[in-house]
Structures are given as C-alpha cells and as structure tokens.
Amino acid sequence: MNLIDEKTKSKIYRIMFENDTPAGRAFDIGLIVAILGNSILIIAESVDTIRKSYGIWISTLEWVFVAAFTIEYVLRLLVVKNKFAYLLSFYGFIDLLAILPAYLSLFLPQMRILVIIRIFRLLRLFSILNMGSYIAESTRLLKALIESRIKIIVFLFSSLIIIVLVGAVMYIVEGPKNGFTSIPESMYWAIVTVSTVGYGDISPKTAMGKVISSLLIIIGYGILAVPTGIISSELTNASKRHRKGKVCPRCHHKSYSRNDKFCSKCGTAFRD
C-alpha cells in the first residue's frame, strides 16, 4: 500500500528535486540554511569553551537538524521512482551519512565522533546552487593535470633531491647543537624553507647556514613558479583543443576534443 498517492508524490518530487517553482526555490533556500546552520553547530561544538557553556542547547539543536534531515531523506526515498539508484547515488549516500551516525550513537556512544561526517552535506550545495555547469571546466583542469603528470613528477623528484642534499649539508654545517638533530629533521627544515613558509622552530645559527638558507629561499621562489607554469601551459593547450572540438550533428553540442569519436551529450557518432 502506498503511503503517499501519486499526485502528492509528484508535487513533493518537484519541490525537492526541481527548483523551477516558488515552492522548489523556497525548499532549496530552507535546505541551504539548515545545512549551513548544522555545519556551524558542528564547528562550534568542537570548541571546548562553547561546548561547556552551550552544550545542551547545541545537542538539542543538532537533534532538531537530524530529525529534519531524516524526514527529508525518507521523503526523497518515497518520491523517487528508482529508489535503489538514489540509495547508491553520490548525494543519496551523503544524505544517509548526514543522519546515520547520530542514530548509531544512541547504541554506541563512541560513534558520536562520526557526526562530523554530517558536514559533508555541504556538498549538496553544488546541486542546489546549480554548480553542475562548472563540471566541464573542472574536467578541463583535471585533464590538464593528467597531461602534465610526467613534468610534475620530474619536478617533484628534482625538488626531493634538492631537499635531501640541502638537509644533509645543513646537518653537517649546523649540527645537533643548533637544532638540526638528524638529516630527516634537517630535511623538514629544508621543506619549510623552500616552500617559503618559515615556521621558525628550527633556524640556522652559523654564517654558512644562513647563506645556504638564503640561497634555498631564492630557489624556493623559482620552484613555486614551476608547477604553476606547467599546469597553465596545459590549460592553454586544453582550451585550444576545446575550441577546435567537433559539433554534434544531432544535438549541436560541442565536443571537448577533436579526438572524440562520440558526442558526450547524446552519444551520436562523429563523422570524420
């Protein structure tokens, strides 16, 4: 027996999964507020002073959010046609993780730490705010990273060699008396220095050590520019390939590359 008739299911589906109606937009705004409010509570609860002063209120509000998210999850499950597909979908899995740890903590108190997983519900904002249109751009960036992987690996390997060599030299020059107690400790200093972070927990005391440190900082500025140049170059090439892509004769969707054999939108084969 159906708990909700088909007409009501259709209305709820449009409200929860579509945003082209006033009710749908209102639901999305309410969901954004709930997700952000719940995330703020989780962040605030991690602060000892706030937890000690307002722990009861925070706990109560968290259960209010859990109840709201549970009702939302059940309704989504009831109105979708393919329930199994929703359960296995990315957002379906995130929605379940938003409520499951809270109920598990009732039987296993040590599971309460997993409520932090609920903050991953922020990912649903990508769906609510229609940010899927930016997927193509992120795909292009990912493709640029893949295309430049060999150059980046060579760059990282070269950087590692510099760090090992400088770390070994600083261990000899400065020694344990100045905080360089081992080669790994000296390598840590080299990484912090070459990245221009400079924590200051270890610093050279000798004149030679300061000279090496200065040279390493200068080298660091150059090192930071290398991966940026590599990825920028590949992004430029990817953009050129994208502009030279093929146009689908059926749906007129522009392909990502001239090497594509099929349209990524409708699957129509391209004619060479």
Side-chain angles (χ1 to χ4, degrees), residues 6-266:
E6 293 300 322
K7 187 176 180 181
T8 305
K9 278 185 179 180
S10 179
K11 288 182 178 179
I12 295 174
Y13 182 88
R14 287 202 65 186
I15 291 173
M16 301 188 78
F17 288 93
E18 300 175 7
N19 57 4
D20 58 348
T21 63
R25 286 192 291 271
F27 174 79
D28 285 347
I29 292 171
L31 188 57
I32 289 174
V33 172
I35 292 173
L36 292 176
N38 178 73
S39 301
I40 290 170
L41 281 180
I42 293 173
I43 294 169
E45 192 182 22
S46 66
V47 181
D48 287 337
T49 54
I50 296 177
R51 185 172 60 252
K52 290 176 181 177
S53 301
Y54 307 100
I56 296 176
W57 290 102
I58 290 175
S59 180
T60 302
L61 286 173
E62 282 187 349
W63 277 106
V64 170
F65 282 119
V66 169
F69 289 153
T70 301
I71 293 171
E72 180 212 352
Y73 181 75
V74 172
L75 285 175
R76 286 183 185 274
L77 201 57
L78 286 174
V79 300
V80 294
K81 293 182 179 179
N82 193 335
K83 296 175 173 52
F84 191 68
Y86 170 69
L87 286 170
L88 296 181
S89 68
F90 175 76
Y91 287 117
F93 187 66
I94 292 295
D95 293 344
L96 179 61
L97 285 181
I99 59 176
L100 189 60
Y103 292 113
L104 289 176
S105 67
L106 295 175
F107 307 99
L108 300 170
Q110 62 270 27
M111 297 291 288
R112 179 168 172 74
I113 190 65
L114 294 179
V115 298
I116 192 65
I117 295 175
R118 206 181 308 155
I119 206 167
F120 284 102
R121 260 223 117 183
L122 286 170
L123 294 173
R124 184 169 272 282
L125 295 179
F126 283 90
S127 174
I128 295 172
L129 299 175
N130 292 323
M131 296 182 74
S133 58
Y134 298 100
I135 295 298
E137 297 300 324
S138 62
T139 302
R140 198 179 304 174
L141 177 59
L142 179 61
K143 190 174 181 65
L145 289 171
I146 294 173
E147 292 292 334
S148 59
R149 65 187 183 279
I150 302 300
K151 296 176 183 177
I152 292 176
I153 290 172
V154 172
F155 160 75
L156 291 175
F157 185 71
S158 302
S159 300
L160 181 61
I161 291 175
I162 293 173
I163 288 167
V164 172
L165 291 176
V166 173
V169 171
M170 289 299 287
Y171 174 67
I172 296 171
V173 172
E174 292 291 329
K177 66 179 182 298
N178 291 328
F180 293 80
T181 55
S182 64
I183 292 179
E185 191 76 13
S186 300
M187 288 172 59
Y188 158 76
W189 168 86
I191 293 171
V192 171
T193 303
V194 81
S195 62
T196 69
V197 174
Y199 290 127
D201 52 343
I202 306 174
S203 58
K205 302 296 188 297
T206 66
M208 181 59 71
K210 291 178 180 179
V211 170
I212 296 172
S213 177
S214 301
L215 292 174
L216 191 60
I217 292 172
I218 294 171
I219 292 171
Y221 284 116
I223 286 176
L224 290 175
V226 172
T228 304
I230 293 173
I231 296 172
S232 297
S233 175
E234 291 298 335
L235 276 173
T236 301
N237 293 334
S239 297
K240 290 179 180 178
R241 289 194 297 269
H242 180 70
R243 287 194 295 268
K244 295 178 180 178
K246 301 175 182 177
V247 177
C248 177
R250 182 179 178 184
C251 68
H252 305 293
H253 176 71
K254 192 169 184 178
S255 70
Y256 183 80
S257 169
R258 291 182 62 86
N259 296 325
D260 289 344
K261 301 297 182 183
F262 299 91
C263 175
S264 59
K265 186 175 182 180
C266 69

